[in-house]
Amino acid sequence: MVEVNMQKEKRGLKLSDLLVTVLISVVLGVVYHLWSSVYGLLSPLFFQADELVYGMWFIASTLVFLLIRKPGVALIAEVAAAHVEVLFGSAWGIQLLVYSLLQGLAAELIFAAFRYRNFSAPVAGLAGLAASIGSLIPDIFYGYVGDYAPWMFIAKYSMRAVSSVVIAGFLAYSLAKAVERTGVTHLLRPVESKDLAALDD
């Protein structure tokens, strides 16, 4: 019975989890807003060069999950960060919320596929890649790619995919590891079985 209760505690989102998720998302929402400047700087370099940094807009979903490690936080984080960006007066307005929902859901599905138990860099990279695929859906819906030649389409979304794996995947993993070394994550996560086993040694 104790083990069952521990599992429920581990899986369920608490108010503190939600507050931390929103707090981190607020910070990342500000980063999202400022990132538009970086995105704009690359645009003149070559065709769709800005896609090389597009993955930053998916990092809320992966980073927050790697820190908190609970179901639902990837989706909540991405949507919350987008809301902050909208509050800063983003030109994309309500469209951002559609994007964030699909991007966060796509990342969430990857973590769910691994039963929320794999926190490795490859899985984070896969979640980042999934988020980039999620962003493609509204791009098509809103008609942003209708005039692209096949090679343009492939080039654009290949660069976005690579950016997503590197930034939302491996960079998010590295940042999570850096936070772990500070010991802060012990306040964010439930006690794991290995920690309990160490108490018996």
Side-chain angles (χ1 to χ4, degrees):
M1 180 63 71
V2 173
E3 184 176 349
V4 172
N5 289 336
M6 284 181 61
Q7 286 298 321
K8 287 182 179 179
E9 177 72 13
K10 181 176 181 178
R11 290 294 179 187
L13 278 175
K14 298 181 294 186
L15 178 60
S16 58
D17 298 323
L18 293 173
L19 291 175
V20 172
T21 296
V22 171
L23 179 61
I24 298 173
S25 298
V26 167
V27 174
L28 291 174
V30 175
V31 173
Y32 282 9
H33 178 69
L34 298 175
W35 199 249
S36 298
S37 300
V38 178
Y39 188 75
L41 286 175
L42 293 185
S43 298
L45 296 181
F46 56 87
F47 172 76
Q48 298 294 328
D50 43 20
E51 293 291 334
L52 293 174
V53 295
Y54 201 99
M56 179 60 75
W57 280 302
F58 311 138
I59 200 170
S61 58
T62 52
L63 178 59
V64 173
F65 174 76
L66 291 172
L67 291 174
I68 298 180
R69 299 184 176 182
K70 286 192 175 182
V73 295
L75 174 59
I76 294 169
E78 189 68 15
V79 172
H83 274 78
V84 173
E85 196 176 357
V86 170
L87 290 174
F88 269 93
S90 171
W92 294 97
I94 195 68
Q95 288 186 17
L96 275 180
L97 305 183
V98 176
Y99 275 91
S100 67
L101 182 63
L102 293 171
Q103 292 161 185
L105 180 60
E108 188 76 40
L109 289 174
I110 295 300
F111 295 128
F114 289 90
R115 302 180 67 183
Y116 299 103
R117 293 176 181 170
N118 191 320
F119 318 110
S120 65
V123 170
L126 192 58
L129 177 61
S132 73
I133 296 172
S135 72
L136 170 60
I137 298 171
D139 274 2
I140 294 173
F141 177 79
Y142 288 118
Y144 296 144
V145 297
D147 297 330
Y148 285 168
W151 74 267
M152 291 180 175
F153 183 90
I154 293 171
K156 176 183 178 74
Y157 289 98
S158 294
M159 287 188 287
R160 182 178 297 187
V162 171
S163 171
S164 303
V165 171
V166 172
I167 298 177
F170 298 134
L171 176 60
Y173 177 82
S174 298
L175 290 173
K177 282 297 179 183
V179 173
E180 280 183 359
R181 286 193 287 272
T182 68
V184 172
T185 51
H186 293 303
L187 303 174
L188 304 177
R189 301 173 188 161
V191 177
E192 298 181 353
S193 56
K194 64 180 182 181
D195 299 321
L196 290 175
L199 294 176
D200 296 329
D201 293 341

